[in-house]
Amino acid sequence: MNLRNSFFIVWTLLASATGCKQQLDVVSPTSPVTSTDPSGTESGAVTEIGQPQGTSSSQLIGPQGGTVRSTDGAVDLVIPAGALTTATTITIQPITNQAPNGVGLAYRFSPDGTQFAKAAHLTFHYDAGQVAVNDPDMLAAGFQQTDRRWQRASDIIVDTTNRLISVAMPHFSDWTAYELERLEDLDLEGGPDKGKTLDFGQSATINVTEAFLIAPLTETKHETFKVKDIVWSVVGGEANGKLVTKTAGLQVTYTAPAKYPPQNPVTVQAEITFKNSAKKVFLRKRILIGSDYFTGTFGGEPFEWSQIVCTKRGQTLTLTGTNEAFTQSLNVILTLPNPDNPLGAYPYTQGMKTGAAVAEFSPSVSTYDGYVSYTITCVPAKYVISPGNVIITGFDEVDGVNYVRGTLSGTYYKLSGPCPAEIIGKQIQGEFRTAVAE
């Protein structure tokens, strides 16, 4: 299969591309509501119950004890010897997380109402990208009661090095890890396969949310970390956007600049101090400004692709841009030496080599009229490789979506006809930013 056909197949594929909670009926999720006790004191958020997500895992555990892991590997439940008097099938079902500031999914443990003679040990595995700040004082775990209020668990141990939140579990219910403080964007726009972005000059409200869960009688940690003051800023200064504080400092309105900022994504930062602690916490929200782009010139003619697809599979990063009619395309394939950190320059080569790139510009997809980053001369037969390269200048995560940024340059070639024929070369200059599907 020749290079042009390989590119066309890739392009075609991409283009189409305190009591235990009772079991309740599945309901539509709603925003949490803070309840109050008779004295008027805030006493925990009331939310709907979570809905099943994905498949459950089950394990028969007897009096000798055992371990059950969730299907996504994010939760381990260790039941010690003597906790159960009879063999019991233990099930872990991932569910949507309705808890205030919940981290990742929540998990439903059954049989519902199971009590242990000895407390089981529950461990949540979290990713650093799932939390606002990887701080042991800002992370906790809790469960939902029969009245749908969330209560913080006692005896929580946080290991920020290995990203583990562990807690003694005396009974089954719906359990989750959560953050005490978090930045929440109230009106940023984004789809299921794209991160959240702002257009030039557009504004968004960002809010500090505190997780109100019923505190165990033996623990005062939540009261210790009550917010005292918040200082907002945009990292890099006003060239990256402006802020207006409101609602007693808990909220801020961020307004994007009128053009692509020097730092993109921009970072809005909240510096938080607490009433009964000398501790400071820095919460950050990254916001992408402007639409994705793949633009430049080829042979002196400008291009600005409206359709952009980028995928990363193992060590291969494939970027495709096309015009609105899908009659022209620019395809780039990089072989990454480090898939977790693709930053750097990728010189063009005659094959798929690690740390290198191959590319094709097709002025007419229907006729396979492609200029390639390398070709072979007729007589004598030898490779002619573009002197340029593709440079990845940014690989940024915004709200769980990775974005790649970069430039490309060089000369792409094709034979003027059947051999013997001369080589035609056209210069290319371009730049791009787009979401990456993995």
Side-chain angles (χ1 to χ4, degrees), residues 13 29 96 116 154 202 204 224 234 273 286 341 376 407:
L13 290 173
T96 54
F116 299 111
S154 302
Q202 187 179 3
T224 300
V234 179
T273 53
R286 307 184 83 193
N341 183 16
I376 301 177
T407 63

Side-chain angles (χ1 to χ4, degrees), residues 71-89:
T71 52
D72 59 9
V75 164
D76 288 315
L77 175 64
V78 178
I79 300 175
L84 295 169
T85 57
T86 60
T88 305
T89 299

Side-chain angles (χ1 to χ4, degrees), residues 131-154:
V131 299
V133 56
N134 196 27
D135 186 317
D137 290 328
M138 294 294 105
L139 298 170
F143 58 90
Q144 195 170 27
Q145 301 184 135
T146 55
D147 58 5
R148 299 188 181 182
R149 291 192 301 171
W150 287 89
Q151 176 171 331
R152 185 171 72 252
S154 302

Side-chain angles (χ1 to χ4, degrees), residues 53-243:
Q53 298 288 296
T55 59
S56 62
S57 59
S58 297
Q59 183 75 33
L60 183 65
I61 306 294
Q64 73 277 10
T67 300
V68 187
R69 168 167 279 199
S70 62
T71 52
D72 59 9
V75 164
D76 288 315
L77 175 64
V78 178
I79 300 175
L84 295 169
T85 57
T86 60
T88 305
T89 299
I90 304 299
T91 299
I92 304 176
Q93 171 65 63
I95 59 174
T96 54
N97 201 335
Q98 307 300 326
N101 293 359
V103 175
L105 292 172
Y107 295 85
R108 179 166 297 145
F109 297 83
S110 60
D112 185 54
T114 298
Q115 301 276 346
F116 299 111
K118 297 180 180 178
H121 189 77
L122 177 62
T123 299
F124 295 92
H125 303 254
Y126 67 93
D127 295 329
Q130 291 179 307
V131 299
V133 56
N134 196 27
D135 186 317
D137 290 328
M138 294 294 105
L139 298 170
F143 58 90
Q144 195 170 27
Q145 301 184 135
T146 55
D147 58 5
R148 299 188 181 182
R149 291 192 301 171
W150 287 89
Q151 176 171 331
R152 185 171 72 252
S154 302
D155 304 321
I156 299 166
I157 299 174
V158 179
D159 178 353
T160 55
T161 301
N162 297 299
R163 296 187 293 277
L164 304 174
I165 302 172
S166 302
V167 59
M169 175 192 262
H171 58 75
F172 279 172
S173 183
D174 289 358
W175 287 73
T176 184
Y178 72 96
E179 300 176 273
L180 270 63
E181 313 289 341
R182 175 183 289 178
L183 287 188
E184 179 185 35
D185 52 76
L186 302 184
D187 46 14
L188 291 183
E189 298 177 355
D193 58 349
K194 294 279 187 179
K196 297 177 179 178
T197 64
L198 281 181
D199 290 333
F200 302 131
Q202 187 179 3
S203 298
T205 301
I206 302 171
N207 186 62
V208 171
T209 61
E210 297 185 76
F212 290 104
L213 276 72
I214 303 171
L217 295 177
T218 58
E219 191 171 333
T220 60
K221 179 177 180 179
H222 187 67
E223 290 303 317
T224 300
F225 293 103
K226 294 285 287 183
V227 172
K228 175 184 178 182
D229 190 27
I230 303 174
V231 177
W232 294 91
S233 62
V234 179
V235 175
E238 287 195 355
N240 291 311
K242 297 182 179 181
L243 298 175

Side-chain angles (χ1 to χ4, degrees), residues 339-407:
D340 295 327
N341 183 16
L343 301 182
Y346 294 79
Y348 297 114
T349 184
Q350 75 272 21
M352 303 299 295
K353 297 181 180 179
T354 301
V358 293
E360 179 195 47
F361 191 101
S362 295
S364 176
V365 170
S366 60
T367 58
Y368 305 103
D369 182 21
Y371 289 76
V372 186
S373 57
Y374 74 90
T375 191
I376 301 177
T377 60
C378 290
V379 180
K382 65 177 182 178
Y383 284 112
V384 178
I385 302 172
S386 173
N389 58 18
V390 179
I391 303 176
I392 302 299
T393 58
F395 192 70
D396 307 294
E397 185 273 328
V398 181
D399 285 336
V401 178
N402 286 318
Y403 288 81
V404 63
R405 292 181 286 120
T407 63

